Coordinates of all heavy atoms in Angstrom, one line a residue:
Chain A
S1211 N -41.1 29.7 -156.2 CA -41.7 30.9 -156.8 C -43.1 30.7 -157.3 O -43.9 31.6 -157.5 CB -40.8 31.4 -157.9 OG -40.7 30.4 -158.9
G1212 N -43.5 29.4 -157.6 CA -44.8 29.1 -158.0 C -45.9 29.6 -157.0 O -47.0 30.1 -157.4
W1213 N -45.6 29.4 -155.7 CA -46.6 29.9 -154.7 C -46.7 31.4 -154.8 O -47.8 32.0 -154.6 CB -46.2 29.4 -153.3 CG -46.4 28.0 -153.1 CD1 -45.5 27.0 -152.9 CD2 -47.7 27.4 -153.0 NE1 -46.2 25.8 -152.7 CE2 -47.5 26.0 -152.8 CE3 -49.0 27.8 -153.2 CZ2 -48.6 25.1 -152.7 CZ3 -50.1 26.9 -153.1 CH2 -49.8 25.6 -152.9
D1214 N -45.6 32.1 -155.0 CA -45.6 33.5 -155.1 C -46.4 34.0 -156.3 O -47.2 35.0 -156.2 CB -44.2 34.1 -155.2 CG -44.2 35.6 -155.4 OD1 -44.9 36.3 -154.5 OD2 -43.6 36.1 -156.3
E1215 N -46.3 33.3 -157.4 CA -47.1 33.6 -158.6 C -48.6 33.5 -158.3 O -49.4 34.3 -158.7 CB -46.7 32.7 -159.8 CG -45.3 33.1 -160.3 CD -44.6 32.0 -161.0 OE1 -45.1 30.9 -161.1 OE2 -43.4 32.2 -161.4
I1216 N -49.0 32.4 -157.6 CA -50.4 32.3 -157.2 C -50.8 33.4 -156.3 O -51.9 34.0 -156.4 CB -50.6 30.9 -156.6 CG1 -50.4 29.8 -157.6 CG2 -52.0 30.8 -156.0 CD1 -50.4 28.4 -157.0
G1217 N -50.0 33.7 -155.3 CA -50.3 34.8 -154.3 C -50.5 36.1 -155.0 O -51.4 36.9 -154.7
R1218 N -49.5 36.4 -156.0 CA -49.6 37.7 -156.7 C -50.9 37.8 -157.4 O -51.6 38.8 -157.4 CB -48.4 37.7 -157.7 CG -47.9 39.1 -157.9 CD -46.7 39.1 -158.9 NE -45.8 38.0 -158.7 CZ -44.9 37.7 -159.6 NH1 -44.8 38.3 -160.8 NH2 -44.0 36.7 -159.4
A1219 N -51.3 36.7 -158.1 CA -52.5 36.7 -158.9 C -53.7 36.8 -158.0 O -54.7 37.6 -158.3 CB -52.6 35.4 -159.7
A1220 N -53.7 36.1 -156.9 CA -54.9 36.2 -156.0 C -55.1 37.6 -155.3 O -56.2 38.0 -155.2 CB -54.7 35.1 -154.9
V1221 N -54.0 38.2 -155.0 CA -54.1 39.6 -154.4 C -54.7 40.5 -155.5 O -55.6 41.3 -155.2 CB -52.7 40.1 -154.0 CG1 -52.8 41.6 -153.7 CG2 -52.3 39.4 -152.7
E1222 N -54.2 40.4 -156.7 CA -54.7 41.3 -157.8 C -56.2 41.0 -158.0 O -57.0 42.0 -158.1 CB -54.0 41.0 -159.1 CG -52.6 41.6 -159.0 CD -51.7 41.2 -160.2 OE1 -52.2 40.6 -161.1 OE2 -50.5 41.6 -160.2
T1223 N -56.6 39.8 -158.1 CA -58.1 39.5 -158.4 C -58.9 39.8 -157.2 O -60.0 40.4 -157.3 CB -58.3 38.1 -158.9 OG1 -57.8 37.2 -157.9 CG2 -57.6 37.8 -160.2
G1224 N -58.4 39.5 -156.0 CA -59.2 39.8 -154.8 C -59.4 41.3 -154.7 O -60.5 41.8 -154.3
T1225 N -58.3 42.1 -155.0 CA -58.5 43.6 -154.9 C -59.5 44.1 -156.0 O -60.2 45.0 -155.7 CB -57.1 44.2 -155.1 OG1 -56.2 43.7 -154.2 CG2 -57.1 45.7 -154.9
L1226 N -59.5 43.5 -157.1 CA -60.4 43.9 -158.2 C -61.9 43.7 -157.7 O -62.7 44.6 -157.8 CB -60.2 43.1 -159.5 CG -61.2 43.3 -160.6 CD1 -61.1 44.6 -161.2 CD2 -61.1 42.2 -161.6
W1227 N -62.2 42.5 -157.1 CA -63.5 42.2 -156.7 C -63.9 43.1 -155.5 O -65.0 43.6 -155.4 CB -63.7 40.7 -156.3 CG -63.6 39.8 -157.5 CD1 -62.7 38.9 -157.7 CD2 -64.5 39.8 -158.6 NE1 -62.9 38.3 -159.0 CE2 -64.0 38.9 -159.5 CE3 -65.6 40.6 -159.0 CZ2 -64.7 38.6 -160.7 CZ3 -66.3 40.3 -160.2 CH2 -65.8 39.3 -161.0
A1228 N -62.9 43.4 -154.6 CA -63.2 44.3 -153.5 C -63.5 45.7 -154.0 O -64.3 46.4 -153.4 CB -62.0 44.3 -152.5
T1229 N -62.8 46.1 -155.1 CA -63.1 47.4 -155.7 C -64.5 47.5 -156.2 O -65.2 48.5 -156.0 CB -62.1 47.7 -156.8 OG1 -60.8 47.5 -156.4 CG2 -62.3 49.1 -157.4
I1230 N -65.0 46.4 -156.8 CA -66.4 46.3 -157.3 C -67.4 46.4 -156.1 O -68.4 47.1 -156.2 CB -66.6 45.0 -158.1 CG1 -65.8 45.1 -159.4 CG2 -68.1 44.8 -158.4 CD1 -65.7 43.9 -160.2
V1231 N -67.0 45.7 -155.0 CA -67.8 45.8 -153.8 C -67.9 47.3 -153.3 O -69.0 47.8 -153.0 CB -67.3 44.9 -152.6 CG1 -68.0 45.1 -151.3 CG2 -67.3 43.5 -153.0
L1232 N -66.8 48.0 -153.3 CA -66.7 49.3 -152.8 C -67.4 50.3 -153.7 O -67.8 51.4 -153.3 CB -65.3 49.8 -152.6 CG -64.6 49.0 -151.4 CD1 -63.1 49.4 -151.3 CD2 -65.3 49.4 -150.1
V1233 N -67.6 49.9 -155.0 CA -68.3 50.8 -155.9 C -69.8 50.5 -155.8 O -70.7 51.4 -155.8 CB -67.8 50.6 -157.4 CG1 -68.7 51.3 -158.4 CG2 -66.4 51.1 -157.5
T1234 N -70.2 49.2 -155.8 CA -71.6 48.9 -155.8 C -72.3 49.1 -154.5 O -73.5 49.5 -154.4 CB -71.8 47.4 -156.2 OG1 -71.0 46.6 -155.4 CG2 -71.5 47.1 -157.7
G1235 N -71.5 49.0 -153.4 CA -72.1 49.2 -152.0 C -72.7 50.6 -151.8 O -73.8 50.7 -151.4
P1236 N -71.9 51.6 -152.1 CA -72.4 53.0 -152.0 C -73.6 53.3 -152.9 O -74.5 54.0 -152.5 CB -71.2 53.9 -152.3 CG -70.0 53.0 -151.9 CD -70.4 51.6 -152.3
I1237 N -73.6 52.7 -154.1 CA -74.7 52.9 -155.0 C -76.0 52.3 -154.3 O -77.1 53.0 -154.3 CB -74.5 52.3 -156.4 CG1 -73.3 52.9 -157.1 CG2 -75.7 52.4 -157.3 CD1 -72.8 52.2 -158.3
W1238 N -75.9 51.1 -153.8 CA -77.0 50.5 -153.0 C -77.4 51.4 -151.8 O -78.6 51.7 -151.6 CB -76.6 49.1 -152.5 CG -77.5 48.5 -151.5 CD1 -77.7 49.0 -150.2 CD2 -78.3 47.4 -151.7 NE1 -78.6 48.1 -149.6 CE2 -79.0 47.2 -150.5 CE3 -78.5 46.5 -152.7 CZ2 -79.8 46.1 -150.3 CZ3 -79.4 45.4 -152.5 CH2 -80.0 45.2 -151.3
A1239 N -76.3 51.8 -151.1 CA -76.6 52.6 -149.8 C -77.3 53.9 -150.2 O -78.2 54.3 -149.4 CB -75.3 52.9 -149.1
R1240 N -76.9 54.6 -151.3 CA -77.6 55.8 -151.6 C -79.1 55.6 -151.9 O -79.9 56.5 -151.4 CB -76.9 56.3 -152.9 CG -77.5 57.6 -153.5 CD -77.2 58.8 -152.6 NE -77.8 60.0 -153.1 CZ -78.0 61.1 -152.4 NH1 -77.6 61.1 -151.2 NH2 -78.5 62.2 -153.0
S1241 N -79.4 54.5 -152.5 CA -80.8 54.3 -152.8 C -81.6 53.7 -151.5 O -82.7 54.2 -151.2 CB -80.9 53.2 -153.9 OG -82.3 52.9 -154.1
A1242 N -80.9 52.8 -150.8 CA -81.6 52.2 -149.6 C -81.6 53.1 -148.4 O -82.6 53.1 -147.7 CB -80.9 50.9 -149.3
W1243 N -80.5 53.8 -148.1 CA -80.4 54.5 -146.9 C -80.3 56.1 -147.1 O -80.1 56.8 -146.1 CB -79.3 54.0 -146.1 CG -79.4 52.6 -145.7 CD1 -80.5 51.9 -145.3 CD2 -78.4 51.6 -145.8 NE1 -80.3 50.6 -145.1 CE2 -79.0 50.3 -145.4 CE3 -77.0 51.6 -146.2 CZ2 -78.2 49.1 -145.4 CZ3 -76.3 50.4 -146.2 CH2 -76.9 49.2 -145.8
G1244 N -80.3 56.5 -148.4 CA -80.2 57.9 -148.7 C -78.8 58.6 -148.5 O -78.7 59.8 -148.4
T1245 N -77.8 57.7 -148.4 CA -76.4 58.3 -148.2 C -75.5 57.4 -148.9 O -75.7 56.2 -149.1 CB -76.1 58.4 -146.7 OG1 -74.7 58.9 -146.6 CG2 -76.2 57.1 -146.0
W1246 N -74.4 58.0 -149.4 CA -73.4 57.2 -150.2 C -72.6 56.2 -149.3 O -72.2 55.2 -149.7 CB -72.4 58.1 -151.0 CG -73.1 58.8 -152.1 CD1 -73.4 60.2 -152.1 CD2 -73.5 58.3 -153.4 NE1 -74.0 60.5 -153.3 CE2 -74.1 59.4 -154.1 CE3 -73.5 57.1 -154.0 CZ2 -74.6 59.3 -155.3 CZ3 -74.0 56.9 -155.2 CH2 -74.5 58.0 -155.9
W1247 N -72.4 56.7 -148.1 CA -71.5 55.9 -147.2 C -72.1 55.9 -145.8 O -72.5 56.9 -145.3 CB -70.1 56.5 -147.1 CG -69.1 55.5 -146.5 CD1 -68.7 55.5 -145.2 CD2 -68.5 54.4 -147.1 NE1 -67.9 54.5 -145.0 CE2 -67.7 53.8 -146.1 CE3 -68.5 53.8 -148.4 CZ2 -67.0 52.6 -146.4 CZ3 -67.7 52.7 -148.6 CH2 -67.0 52.1 -147.6
T1248 N -72.2 54.7 -145.2 CA -72.8 54.6 -143.9 C -72.0 54.0 -142.8 O -72.4 53.8 -141.7 CB -74.1 53.7 -144.0 OG1 -73.7 52.4 -144.4 CG2 -75.1 54.3 -144.9
W1249 N -70.7 53.6 -143.1 CA -69.9 52.9 -142.1 C -70.5 51.6 -141.6 O -70.4 51.3 -140.4 CB -69.5 53.8 -141.0 CG -68.6 55.0 -141.4 CD1 -69.1 56.3 -141.6 CD2 -67.3 54.9 -141.8 NE1 -68.0 57.0 -142.0 CE2 -66.9 56.2 -142.2 CE3 -66.3 53.9 -141.9 CZ2 -65.6 56.6 -142.6 CZ3 -65.0 54.3 -142.3 CH2 -64.7 55.6 -142.7
E1250 N -71.4 51.0 -142.4 CA -72.0 49.7 -142.0 C -70.9 48.6 -142.0 O -69.9 48.8 -142.8 CB -73.2 49.4 -142.7 CG -73.1 49.2 -144.2 CD -72.6 47.8 -144.5 OE1 -72.8 46.9 -143.8 OE2 -71.9 47.7 -145.5
P1251 N -71.1 47.5 -141.2 CA -70.0 46.6 -141.0 C -69.3 46.0 -142.2 O -68.1 46.1 -142.3 CB -70.6 45.5 -140.1 CG -71.8 46.1 -139.6 CD -72.3 47.1 -140.5
R1252 N -70.1 45.4 -143.1 CA -69.4 44.7 -144.1 C -68.7 45.6 -145.2 O -67.7 45.2 -145.7 CB -70.4 43.7 -144.8 CG -70.4 42.4 -144.1 CD -71.6 41.5 -144.5 NE -72.7 41.7 -143.5 CZ -73.8 41.0 -143.5 NH1 -74.0 40.1 -144.4 NH2 -74.7 41.2 -142.6
L1253 N -69.4 46.7 -145.4 CA -68.7 47.7 -146.4 C -67.5 48.2 -145.8 O -66.4 48.4 -146.4 CB -69.7 48.8 -146.7 CG -69.5 49.5 -148.0 CD1 -69.5 48.6 -149.2 CD2 -70.7 50.5 -148.2
T1254 N -67.5 48.5 -144.5 CA -66.3 49.0 -143.8 C -65.2 48.0 -143.8 O -64.0 48.3 -144.0 CB -66.7 49.5 -142.3 OG1 -67.8 50.4 -142.4 CG2 -65.5 50.2 -141.7
T1255 N -65.6 46.7 -143.5 CA -64.6 45.6 -143.5 C -64.0 45.5 -144.9 O -62.8 45.3 -145.0 CB -65.3 44.3 -143.1 OG1 -65.9 44.5 -141.9 CG2 -64.3 43.2 -143.0
S1256 N -64.8 45.6 -145.9 CA -64.3 45.6 -147.3 C -63.3 46.7 -147.6 O -62.3 46.5 -148.2 CB -65.4 45.7 -148.3 OG -66.3 44.6 -148.2
L1257 N -63.6 47.9 -147.1 CA -62.7 49.0 -147.3 C -61.4 48.8 -146.6 O -60.3 49.0 -147.2 CB -63.4 50.3 -146.8 CG -62.5 51.6 -146.8 CD1 -62.1 51.9 -148.3 CD2 -63.3 52.8 -146.2
I1258 N -61.4 48.3 -145.4 CA -60.2 48.0 -144.6 C -59.4 46.9 -145.3 O -58.2 47.0 -145.5 CB -60.5 47.7 -143.2 CG1 -61.1 48.9 -142.4 CG2 -59.3 47.2 -142.4 CD1 -61.7 48.6 -141.1
T1259 N -60.1 45.9 -145.7 CA -59.4 44.7 -146.4 C -58.8 45.2 -147.7 O -57.6 44.8 -148.0 CB -60.5 43.7 -146.7 OG1 -61.2 43.4 -145.6 CG2 -59.8 42.4 -147.2
W1260 N -59.5 46.0 -148.4 CA -59.0 46.6 -149.7 C -57.7 47.4 -149.4 O -56.7 47.2 -150.2 CB -60.1 47.5 -150.3 CG -59.9 48.1 -151.6 CD1 -59.9 47.4 -152.8 CD2 -59.6 49.5 -151.9 NE1 -59.7 48.3 -153.8 CE2 -59.5 49.6 -153.3 CE3 -59.5 50.6 -151.1 CZ2 -59.3 50.8 -153.9 CZ3 -59.3 51.8 -151.8 CH2 -59.2 51.9 -153.1
L1261 N -57.7 48.2 -148.4 CA -56.5 49.0 -148.0 C -55.3 48.0 -147.7 O -54.2 48.3 -148.0 CB -56.8 49.9 -146.9 CG -57.7 51.1 -147.3 CD1 -58.1 51.9 -146.0 CD2 -57.0 52.0 -148.2
I1262 N -55.6 47.0 -146.9 CA -54.5 46.0 -146.5 C -53.9 45.4 -147.8 O -52.7 45.4 -147.9 CB -55.1 44.9 -145.6 CG1 -55.5 45.5 -144.3 CG2 -54.1 43.8 -145.4 CD1 -56.3 44.5 -143.4

Side-chain angles (χ1 to χ4, degrees):
Chain A
S1211 62
W1213 285 114
D1214 175 54
E1215 287 154 0
I1216 293 172
R1218 214 182 314 168
V1221 166
E1222 285 170 6
T1223 56
T1225 306
L1226 173 71
W1227 292 115
T1229 307
I1230 292 172
V1231 173
L1232 292 172
V1233 171
T1234 52
I1237 296 172
W1238 167 294
R1240 177 70 180 160
S1241 176
W1243 301 315
T1245 177
W1246 291 105
W1247 192 264
T1248 61
W1249 295 105
E1250 62 79 29
R1252 272 166 262 190
L1253 204 53
T1254 308
T1255 304
S1256 297
L1257 177 60
I1258 293 170
T1259 309
W1260 184 73
L1261 289 171
I1262 291 171

